[in-house]
Amino acid sequence: MASSSITTGTIGFPRIGPNREMKKALESYWKKQLSLDELLKVNDQTEKDAWQLQSKAGISKVGLDGTLYDQVLDWIFALGLAPARFAKLSGYDLYFAMARGTEGAVALDMSKFFDTNYHYMVPEFSESSQPKPDFESYLNKVKRGQEIIGKESAIPIIIGPNTLVGLSKKEGVSRSDMVKRLLPAYSQVLKELKSLGVPEVQIHEPILTIADAASLESDFATTFAEFEKSGLYINLVTYYDDIGAAYPWTVKLPVQAISLDFLGVPGSAVASKTLDLVEKHGFPSEKRLGAGVVDGRSVWSDGIVPAALVASLHKKGIKNISVQSSVSLQHLPYDKELEKNVEASIAGRLSFATQKLHEIVKAAKDAPTLKEDQIKAGLPDVGNPVSDIEKSKFSRSAKFADRITQQIKTHAFPTSSIGSFPQTPAIRRARLAHKKGQLSDADYEKEVNEYMTYAIKEQERIGVDVLVHGEPERSDMVEYFGQRMEGFVFTEHGWVQSYGSRYVRPPIIHGDVSRPHAMTTKEFQYAQSLTQKPVKGMLTGPVTILNWSFPRKDITRQAQAFQLALAIREEVGDLEKAGCKVIQVDEPALREGLPLKQDRWESYLEWAVDSFRLSTAVAQPHTQIVTHLCYSDFQDILKAIDNLDADVLTIENSRSGNEMIVALAKYGYKKDVGPGVYDVHSPVVPSVEFMVEKLQSYMDSKILNSKSEHIWVNPDCGLKTRDWKEVIPSLENMVKAAATMRAQVGASA
């Protein structure tokens, strides 16, 4: 292979710091233990360390990633597009109020970012929305990047207007009109960047990967015709999938570089079609191709695949190539070298964000040397060994109408919560001490039991109907189960940002999954022994465990989901035998696994729903199966949700209004529902009146024909991130709100 212009670049990197510096700083700031200046210093240092790390690894063009909370929120803030309810606030008080809410102003809605487990703050645009930009903070960040790694290497990142608007809630304004309103502000920041002497700018437009991206041609043409006037070298960056039917016109836009994802979702039955699109339509010789060939979603080393893909592209006549990750590396843990206890045979195959930098550099170096047979052998492939499972295992033994008459009896507006209670410093210390061998099994169990005793007694005092044990033994809803199954490996420092200061440590699936012993029955039995009221058994569903883990790449996601489902199925059976009458199997990540192209949904939803049913269908008719969905838009997969065949569906609702409730009512959903009545991510204690109003709105929606005994009252989500001083008054007010509504319904009956 002849020599060519093969360079390297990054389009995003973990913003959290190698030791979670940003989480600690943010939470200290919110507790008023750290000043704003101190918080910003930590942020600046975290960004500096990340940029220098990338530069020293040999990356020639470093994307200047970094955020205090969320990159979408950053652009809402910089563009001056805060909703009117925040009008009295300014500066970082405004920034964090949009993220977390404040007295009298509910936070922006939060939703999953495309098909990832990262959550973004949802922009809100209306007829009156007009940008009032202030780019000072953003431009200072660019200047710092230039000082730290040099002007030629420091590449600004901008969330493009089409993506910002595409991810938003819009009322009284069309997508195209809102994009046009934003263009003067974007042109302003591009002009400022030009004056700083930046060599190029990345405009991130992942909205191009969605199903209807082809319909955006006119908006993109208008956008980039305006941007062309800046005179800047523009790299249009897309990721999370191929851009499908939008490819032919996207490559003709007036930009100097286009970055594409060549890999898609690890283990997906339908691979990214980017390579096919390039082969079919070609790629403009005058443009640079950003080849996303190093897997930014997978912790496994890519081996020869990146170099083989680059070599294949060169054979197609593409000479100017920048080797990059397929998506931002923010979705990976920071550095494998921080892990000291992973088995060597597994650790040798792992590659975290820091290691991916070296894979990028290596692919650029190796691609010119590959021979034809190496290129062919190196292109990605995946197997699908799904074993036969009896069809009867996917269905409950009785229909819902027959089951519900045998399950727990409830009055109007029954109350419960979603599962977790505050992860107090004391329980965290006990869990860590036990993990380090500094606390005996007996002493740790005593700590956990004392926590559960407090949680159960408080719920009884408040008057909650169906109780939870609070999950003090769990650091994470996925990690906990993975640690009790075969086929998983765990990290100590493998943290990934979910949103803001909320980080998760996804397990890594490295082999076939099975459950050697019961995982939750001991805690359930203790909690249930404290009360006559039903206590939920709390499980995480197979699709969520898969989507919130780093999966294998040698077999499909479906095969892995079925293995997980069989393990959860055994646990459901054991909980039932232990006397559990209500078992919750959470699937908050159901929707985020959807392919971005709608024509690929059917196959995913079929095996995802089958996985849930396989895990729960073992339950007898008298056992109530609950599931929980949150922080995604589920309105377009209502049939799949119905097909889960759960007896109770609890959903996030407080931030997003009643869209899901209205959609369920219109669909004719007939099973019990529990829409969240307050936002667990806000420190604000909701008033009784606020929650009464929410409950009345559910009745007004005519969901379940307004049969109040089938409308559950619960928070939006788990309460692990809150303090008891917030949780207890919130639950007290929630129970009072349910009682108020109960009295009103009784009075009107």
Side-chain angles (χ1 to χ4, degrees):
M1 175 174 149
S3 62
S4 60
S5 175
I6 300 180
T7 56
T8 57
T10 53
I11 58 174
F13 195 76
R15 298 85 65 92
I16 64 178
N19 295 298
R20 294 184 291 164
E21 287 83 357
M22 283 305 300
K23 174 183 178 67
K24 298 166 189 173
L26 277 169
E27 294 179 352
S28 294
Y29 172 71
W30 292 331
K31 293 176 182 176
K32 302 189 184 303
Q33 297 170 352
L34 209 65
S35 69
L36 177 61
D37 284 345
E38 290 170 323
L39 170 64
L40 296 177
K41 284 180 182 177
V42 173
N43 181 67
D44 290 355
Q45 186 63 48
T46 302
E47 291 177 344
K48 177 181 179 180
D49 291 344
W51 299 338
Q52 286 182 326
L53 180 67
Q54 294 169 73
S55 181
K56 289 177 181 177
I59 301 297
S60 54
K61 302 292 184 185
V62 176
L64 296 178
D65 202 357
T67 182
L68 278 171
Y69 197 95
D70 165 51
Q71 69 266 26
V72 178
L73 178 63
D74 291 349
W75 283 93
I76 298 170
F77 183 65
L79 289 163
L81 289 166
R85 63 183 177 276
F86 300 103
K88 295 181 180 179
L89 300 170
S90 62
Y92 288 102
D93 289 341
L94 167 62
Y95 181 90
F96 287 118
M98 287 193 287
R100 306 177 74 229
T102 189
E103 193 70 43
V106 67
L108 297 178
D109 192 11
M110 187 162 56
S111 192
K112 301 290 175 65
F113 196 59
F114 293 86
D115 59 349
T116 74
N117 186 32
Y118 179 75
H119 301 68
Y120 74 98
M121 308 309 300
V122 180
E124 297 176 14
F125 299 140
S126 67
E127 188 177 4
S128 61
S129 294
Q130 292 291 344
K132 301 177 182 64
D134 181 352
F135 296 116
E136 181 181 4
S137 177
Y138 173 75
L139 294 171
N140 285 338
K141 173 180 175 178
V142 174
K143 292 173 186 176
R144 284 191 292 107
Q146 292 177 325
E147 292 171 0
I148 292 165
I149 58 175
K151 278 191 175 183
E152 287 306 307
S153 294
I155 309 301
I157 294 175
I158 292 175
I159 301 292
N162 293 281
T163 294
L164 191 72
V165 174
L167 294 174
S168 71
K169 291 182 177 181
K170 294 172 285 295
E171 186 174 343
V173 62
S174 71
R175 178 170 62 187
S176 295
D177 285 346
M178 195 64 222
V179 169
K180 289 174 183 175
R181 288 186 199 182
L182 297 181
L183 291 184
Y186 273 91
S187 295
Q188 177 185 332
V189 75
L190 291 176
K191 181 179 179 181
E192 297 276 8
L193 291 173
K194 178 76 170 177
S195 70
L196 293 180
V198 301
E200 64 181 76
V201 60
Q202 294 179 12
I203 308 289
H204 286 212
E205 291 281 19
I207 202 73
L208 279 168
T209 61
I210 65 172
D212 66 346
S215 67
L216 305 178
E217 181 176 3
S218 177
D219 290 343
F220 267 82
T222 300
T223 297
F224 284 90
E226 181 65 26
F227 290 176
E228 184 182 21
K229 298 174 185 176
S230 70
L232 280 168
Y233 186 109
I234 292 176
N235 178 9
L236 170 57
V237 181
T238 74
Y239 36 82
Y240 298 133
D241 200 358
D242 61 72
I243 62 175
Y247 182 90
W249 56 260
T250 297
V251 296
K252 296 177 182 177
L253 290 171
V255 297
Q256 288 68 43
I258 299 175
S259 295
L260 303 170
D261 179 352
F262 281 80
L263 299 178
V265 179
S268 175
V270 181
S272 167
K273 298 184 183 299
T274 300
L275 192 61
D276 295 336
L277 290 167
V278 171
E279 187 170 277
K280 181 178 179 180
H281 299 284
F283 188 82
S285 59
E286 72 276 10
K287 289 179 169 60
R288 187 183 75 209
L289 172 61
V293 296
V294 171
D295 200 336
R297 299 196 200 220
S298 175
V299 294
W300 300 106
S301 175
D302 293 290
I304 197 176
V305 169
L309 282 167
V310 172
S312 177
L313 291 167
H314 186 274
K315 282 191 64 180
K316 299 180 192 308
I318 302 171
K319 305 300 183 184
N320 190 359
I321 298 173
S322 172
V323 182
Q324 300 166 182
S325 57
S326 58
V327 304
S328 168
L329 295 174
Q330 74 177 83
H331 303 296
L332 296 180
Y334 206 95
D335 187 357
K336 181 182 76 170
E337 295 305 316
L338 297 171
E339 305 301 330
K340 306 301 180 186
N341 297 313
V342 176
E343 183 181 323
S345 62
I346 297 172
R349 296 185 286 130
L350 294 176
S351 180
F352 293 176
T354 299
Q355 287 69 46
K356 295 286 182 177
L357 300 175
H358 299 287
E359 292 202 60
I360 289 170
V361 173
K362 187 176 190 303
K365 178 182 177 183
D366 291 350
T369 69
L370 293 189
K371 298 178 181 178
E372 181 65 34
D373 59 334
Q374 292 174 306
I375 297 172
K376 186 175 181 180
L379 296 179
D381 190 22
V382 64
N384 186 31
V386 178
S387 58
D388 291 333
I389 299 172
E390 296 175 20
K391 287 186 177 180
S392 62
K393 289 187 175 181
F394 292 92
S395 298
R396 300 283 294 272
S397 60
K399 299 295 184 182
F400 173 72
D402 298 322
R403 297 196 304 263
I404 196 170
T405 62
Q406 303 176 50
Q407 295 173 3
I408 59 169
K409 307 303 179 187
T410 57
H411 47 63
F413 300 107
T415 56
S416 188
S417 58
I418 300 303
S420 60
F421 279 151
Q423 288 279 308
T424 63
I427 200 66
R428 289 181 187 274
R429 285 194 298 269
R431 194 164 54 235
L432 181 61
H434 180 248
K435 182 179 179 180
K436 291 182 175 180
Q438 299 167 353
L439 192 67
S440 69
D441 290 349
D443 287 340
Y444 177 60
E445 185 173 332
K446 180 182 177 183
E447 293 272 359
V448 170
N449 287 349
E450 286 178 355
Y451 181 107
M452 288 192 289
T453 299
Y454 177 79
I456 293 294
K457 295 306 179 186
E458 279 298 297
Q459 291 172 87
E460 282 198 318
R461 179 190 65 78
I462 291 168
V464 178
D465 296 314
V466 175
L467 314 186
V468 296
H469 76 286
E471 305 178 13
E473 76 284 10
R474 308 181 191 183
S475 61
D476 178 84
M477 66 184 290
V478 171
E479 180 185 66
Y480 177 82
F481 290 97
Q483 288 174 335
R484 286 152 181 79
M485 295 182 189
E486 300 291 342
F488 284 84
V489 67
F490 304 90
T491 63
E492 293 181 56
H493 303 279
W495 298 99
V496 177
Q497 186 183 29
S498 179
Y499 62 85
S501 69
R502 168 75 168 135
Y503 302 167
V504 294
R505 194 168 44 188
I508 299 169
I509 304 175
H510 70 89
D512 289 340
V513 174
S514 62
R515 186 201 75 145
H517 49 71
M519 302 181 285
T520 65
T521 54
K522 182 174 70 172
E523 290 78 17
F524 162 75
Q525 287 174 312
Y526 180 82
Q528 187 64 78
S529 73
L530 301 171
T531 180
Q532 295 299 308
K533 290 186 173 184
V535 175
K536 288 183 188 179
M538 297 299 307
L539 305 175
T540 303
V543 179
T544 293
I545 293 177
L546 176 66
N547 284 339
W548 289 359
S549 298
F550 290 114
R552 295 162 64 179
K553 294 180 71 172
D554 58 329
I555 64 172
T556 64
R557 291 151 56 80
Q558 177 186 354
Q560 294 171 77
F562 280 12
Q563 290 180 7
L564 287 161
L566 290 170
I568 297 298
R569 180 185 180 92
E570 293 176 359
E571 190 69 15
V572 169
D574 279 350
L575 279 169
E576 196 172 57
K577 290 173 186 175
C580 190
K581 298 177 182 178
V582 183
I583 301 175
Q584 182 168 312
V585 182
D586 290 338
E587 285 291 17
L590 176 69
R591 195 190 190 285
E592 75 184 46
L594 274 175
L596 293 175
K597 306 289 189 297
Q598 197 161 350
D599 60 1
R600 304 174 192 173
W601 283 14
E602 186 176 352
S603 62
Y604 165 78
L605 288 172
E606 182 177 357
W607 66 253
V609 168
D610 279 351
S611 297
F612 181 87
R613 292 171 66 110
L614 179 60
S615 66
T616 57
V618 67
Q620 296 301 306
H622 63 263
T623 301
Q624 185 183 77
I625 295 294
V626 183
T627 194
H628 177 64
L629 307 177
C630 63
Y631 297 108
S632 278
D633 296 320
F634 294 99
Q635 293 92 316
D636 48 5
I637 59 167
L638 294 180
K639 183 178 179 181
I641 291 171
D642 196 10
N643 287 343
L644 293 174
D645 201 25
D647 300 304
V648 182
L649 169 67
T650 63
I651 53 173
E652 174 271 329
N653 187 71
S654 68
R655 286 194 181 192
S656 51
N658 287 349
E659 292 96 335
M660 182 69 168
I661 301 302
V662 171
L664 285 167
K666 184 177 180 180
Y667 172 83
Y669 192 79
K670 293 180 171 58
K671 305 178 183 79
D672 287 16
V673 295
V677 293
Y678 76 90
D679 179 12
V680 304
H681 299 291
S682 172
V684 177
V685 174
S687 67
V688 174
E689 294 75 17
F690 173 82
M691 288 186 277
V692 166
E693 185 177 338
K694 294 294 286 186
L695 290 170
Q696 184 59 56
S697 72
Y698 304 158
M699 294 290 284
D700 294 343
S701 75
K702 303 302 181 184
I703 182 75
L704 300 172
N705 295 319
S706 303
K707 293 179 180 177
S708 55
E709 67 272 22
H710 299 295
I711 298 177
W712 288 75
V713 184
N714 46 255
D716 258 352
C717 202
L719 297 161
K720 66 180 291 183
T721 61
R722 303 265 58 90
D723 292 329
W724 280 115
K725 64 183 180 182
E726 299 161 342
V727 167
I728 289 174
S730 295
L731 291 181
E732 288 173 339
N733 288 353
M734 184 186 81
V735 170
K736 289 175 184 176
T740 300
M741 286 297 296
R742 211 171 289 135
Q744 290 181 9
V745 169
S748 62

